[in-house]
Amino acid sequence: MTKLHFDPNQNYDCLMCGRGCRAGWDIPVEPEVVAHLEKQPLVLRIIQEQGPVFRQVEEQVFIQNSKDCPNCRFLAEDQLCSIHREFGFEAKPATCQLFPFVMTQTPEGIFAGVTYYCTATRQNHGRNTAAHEADLRAQLQRGAPINKVAMDGLVIHNRYYVSYRDYLGLEKQLLARAETVGLREALAQATLGLACTMAELPTLEDGVQAIGKKLPEIWDHPAMPPGSAMGQLRWLGQQQMCDYFKFSLERDKWDEIEAALYEGAAFALPHYNWSGTLAELDKLADDRFDPEIDRYLAHLVWRKALVVHPPLLPSLMQMTMLPQFLKVQAGLLAHKRAHQVCDQDYWDALEETETYLVTHGRNRRVVNELAVESLLSMLRG
Ligand code: SF4
């Protein structure tokens, strides 16, 4: 039987808040689920009251939602799922059954992680996630969607790769280092050390090369600049944040962002009703959220988020920038809401991060890849 791993520090029992059903994600619906639901009076009633419940894109059917109305059509007024209520848990699409679990198959077994989009998981509410093992096994048998980590060929950057076993060695060293310097600094050291290693390797135009043997040496690479790695990478965090903001701004505003980054000029973020320089933006970050951020990062590392979607170096880069990104986002939301930053601002920033950068939004990985290129060109001189 496949081994299922559970994070000993992660709890979850559903609070029935319906938050995941209001996110506007593309939820795929299996053909047999469509076939069962489309003849039901419930569906006919929803179509009459709200419009279509499904949307077909090429071969795939999705739950209907829109930018204006991100709620799932099946979410009832009491915030409960009407499919679940009328036909039972197993009548729901596989993605809905699995939420908030994020399953990752590795050569050591399946890691049953969770998304922090869910209210219960971010509050660490309920029993340890291991309490759900029987349900998860049943879902796996029914073909629950699952991420896969390759045994071999985990790309680091360019055409260089390591095996999963080599990655585990790196993860072990990362966690050991986190015991003394903290997880955020350990992640920054791993990012900088690995980038130093990559910077001295030639760009491969074709073919691939394994460099697993080099991983244990990254921590003491002779080219590592002295001092805090988090401090060294701070400017790259700002670049990543600026690149991220570009996605939410019209193209004619991008020059303003570039001027903010390279000349220290002021720029505007109309969505947050905020304007100022990057130094002023940094001041919005409140360190009180650090313990929560550390818990989030530790779970991401545990559930193999660093390697589920290689390349590894941009993933490390992303993990390194997340703390400041989360704190600045929370500060911006507080500014928009005209109050002192509070827990709700942090939770909403986490929701944005999960949706657009991490678990549910891998389309913005280019932000991290651009930062990797900047770091490598700086290290190469
Ligand atoms: S967001 Fe989490 S706690 Fe809320 S209904 Fe969904 S699974 Fe339950």
Side-chain angles (χ1 to χ4, degrees):
M1 198 194 298
T2 310
K3 181 160 177 54
L4 276 188
H5 299 268
F6 293 92
D7 183 346
N9 300 313
Q10 184 62 56
N11 302 336
Y12 161 69
D13 273 317
C14 183
L15 287 162
M16 302 196 184
C17 68
R19 188 182 181 89
C21 314
R22 298 191 297 268
W25 292 318
D26 283 334
I27 305 290
V29 191
E30 296 72 25
E32 59 278 15
V33 174
V34 176
H36 170 237
L37 289 177
E38 64 188 358
K39 9 182 222 288
Q40 303 298 338
L42 165 74
V43 174
L44 300 176
R45 196 179 71 234
I46 294 174
I47 291 172
Q48 269 181 351
E49 289 170 2
Q50 302 180 42
V53 293
F54 299 127
R55 174 170 46 93
Q56 178 133 14
V57 181
E58 294 171 356
E59 299 295 294
Q60 180 66 60
V61 175
F62 296 94
I63 298 271
Q64 173 69 43
N65 56 39
S66 68
K67 212 174 164 203
D68 297 332
C69 181
N71 291 10
C72 174
R73 290 275 202 266
F74 293 100
L75 185 65
E77 278 183 4
D78 58 5
Q79 303 307 314
L80 296 179
C81 170
S82 51
I83 303 177
H84 191 140
R85 180 162 41 219
E86 293 220 8
F87 312 112
F89 176 81
E90 290 176 23
K92 296 194 288 188
T95 300
C96 305
Q97 290 185 33
L98 196 58
F99 188 86
F101 283 93
V102 178
M103 308 287 267
T104 301
Q105 174 116 48
T106 76
E108 315 164 79
I110 295 173
F111 283 74
V114 288
T115 166
Y116 272 39
Y117 193 94
C118 162
T119 310
T121 62
R122 59 183 169 73
Q123 290 180 357
N124 215 14
H125 166 83
R127 298 164 293 165
N128 181 267
T129 45
H132 301 270
E133 177 164 358
D135 287 345
L136 291 172
R137 284 199 182 280
Q139 288 183 56
L140 286 169
Q141 276 201 325
R142 293 197 294 272
I146 185 163
N147 296 315
K148 290 200 170 78
V149 169
M151 169 114 55
D152 213 338
L154 296 174
V155 178
I156 293 183
H157 177 70
N158 186 229
R159 291 167 175 269
Y160 293 96
Y161 73 95
V162 294
S163 67
Y164 183 71
R165 180 194 282 260
D166 290 326
Y167 164 73
L168 283 185
L170 176 82
E171 188 187 291
K172 200 170 162 192
Q173 287 177 308
L174 172 79
L175 296 177
R177 196 153 281 238
E179 292 285 315
T180 50
V181 299
L183 184 54
R184 278 167 287 142
E185 174 64 15
L187 283 163
Q189 288 180 9
T191 307
L192 201 49
L194 191 53
C196 288
T197 301
M198 299 308 301
E200 64 189 13
L201 294 170
T203 301
L204 294 179
E205 297 303 336
D206 52 3
V208 291
Q209 197 168 317
I211 54 163
K213 287 199 175 65
K214 289 184 180 290
L215 287 190
E217 298 159 14
I218 64 167
W219 307 96
D220 302 306
H221 196 285
M224 279 270 264
S228 146
M230 268 165 71
Q232 304 280 353
L233 295 176
R234 201 169 183 80
W235 67 275
L236 275 170
Q238 288 189 331
Q239 180 188 318
Q240 285 165 292
M241 218 170 321
C242 286
D243 284 336
Y244 176 81
F245 287 142
K246 282 180 183 172
F247 282 103
S248 59
L249 292 171
E250 299 298 322
R251 244 192 143 75
D252 61 1
K253 294 276 177 206
W254 288 19
D255 285 348
E256 224 180 87
I257 297 267
E258 297 285 313
L261 190 57
Y262 297 111
E263 295 157 28
F267 69 114
L269 294 171
H271 180 62
Y272 299 99
N273 195 22
W274 181 91
S275 60
T277 63
L278 280 175
E280 286 164 339
L281 189 68
D282 261 354
K283 285 194 193 133
L284 294 179
D286 192 322
D287 293 341
R288 64 193 269 208
F289 302 118
D290 282 345
E292 280 300 331
I293 291 173
D294 282 343
R295 187 169 75 80
Y296 175 51
L297 291 181
H299 183 69
L300 289 179
V301 173
W302 178 89
R303 70 169 221 220
K304 311 297 175 206
L306 281 171
V307 282
V308 72
H309 298 292
L312 174 59
L313 188 51
S315 295
L316 273 169
M317 187 68 92
Q318 178 178 71
M319 211 81 95
T320 302
M321 68 84 86
L322 278 181
Q324 187 67 4
F325 182 82
L326 276 163
K327 288 191 272 189
V328 166
Q329 282 281 338
L332 283 170
L333 287 169
H335 177 83
K336 181 181 179 179
R337 294 162 180 170
H339 60 207
Q340 292 290 316
V341 68
C342 65
D343 287 355
Q344 190 58 50
D345 299 318
Y346 171 69
W347 299 129
D348 292 342
L350 185 56
E351 175 181 308
E352 170 126 354
T353 304
E354 280 284 77
T355 304
Y356 295 111
L357 278 177
V358 188
T359 309
H360 313 285
R362 295 163 205 122
N363 50 341
R364 302 212 172 147
R365 291 182 69 83
V366 65
V367 164
N368 312 307
E369 279 156 19
L370 288 171
V372 165
E373 289 305 330
S374 296
L375 179 58
L376 291 179
S377 60
M378 184 202 84
L379 290 169
R380 287 182 186 125

